[in-house]
Amino acid sequence: MDRAQKEAVVEELGQIFESSGVVVVAHYAGLTVAEMQALRAQMRDAGGSVRVAKNKLAKIALDGKPCASIGNLLTGMTVLAYSEDPVAAAKVIVDYAKNNKKLEILGGAMGSAALDQNGVKAVADMPSREELIASVVACIGAPASNIAGAIGAPASNIAGILSTLEERDAA
């Protein structure tokens, strides 16, 4: 790799570190190409990405970034999993690591907060952005549906009483 390519990689990694909601660092020694492709596909489906980069270039890119605390994790064969959604990358990599013992989660960063292995697992257990939005919408919509039900209830009660009276008169 020549100097221009290295500078481009450092720039790209710098943008990843700045714009990502979460960055997870893991060792991937022993993963086959097919297993790595499966991890990339799962991460892509969740809205995240997986990147393998030289540790030295990643450390240079981390300089001055909020997640600079992950620099000490960059040793050996490391892979970076990241996503804009603060939960997506952590969920995918934790689920993948459960099924494939060759992938060892080292830690990560969520903004400027450093995460250890347990921190990454705790982030993975959090609800995703879409799940939170759905629960907020449900909470907002529940009072409206209760009001609509209360308004419609007297009308249905009157209809029930009228049908009972009609049945009694017919009998």
Side-chain angles (χ1 to χ4, degrees), residues 42-141:
Q42 288 178 16
M43 193 66 73
R44 193 175 325 112
D45 291 342
S49 295
V50 174
R51 177 87 156 107
V52 176
K54 289 188 175 269
N55 291 333
K56 188 171 184 174
L57 296 179
K59 287 178 183 179
I60 293 169
L62 279 170
D63 190 35
K65 303 295 185 281
C67 57
S69 60
I70 65 172
N72 60 344
L73 301 174
L74 297 173
T75 59
M77 295 179 64
T78 56
V79 63
L80 301 170
Y82 57 93
S83 63
E84 287 184 28
D85 181 353
V87 180
K91 275 186 186 285
V92 171
I93 202 129
V94 166
D95 287 342
Y96 194 83
K98 284 179 188 174
N99 299 327
N100 193 329
K101 301 300 179 197
K102 296 175 196 168
L103 185 72
E104 179 190 353
I105 298 171
L106 301 176
M110 188 175 194
S112 60
L115 304 171
D116 60 357
Q117 290 176 338
N118 294 329
V120 172
K121 290 176 183 172
V123 169
D125 290 338
M126 293 170 52
S128 70
R129 184 173 185 261
E130 288 78 21
E131 292 169 343
L132 287 174
I133 290 172
S135 65
V136 168
V137 168
C139 289
I140 291 171

Side-chain angles (χ1 to χ4, degrees), residues 140-157:
I140 291 171
S145 67
N146 290 344
I147 290 172
I151 291 172
S156 66
N157 289 345

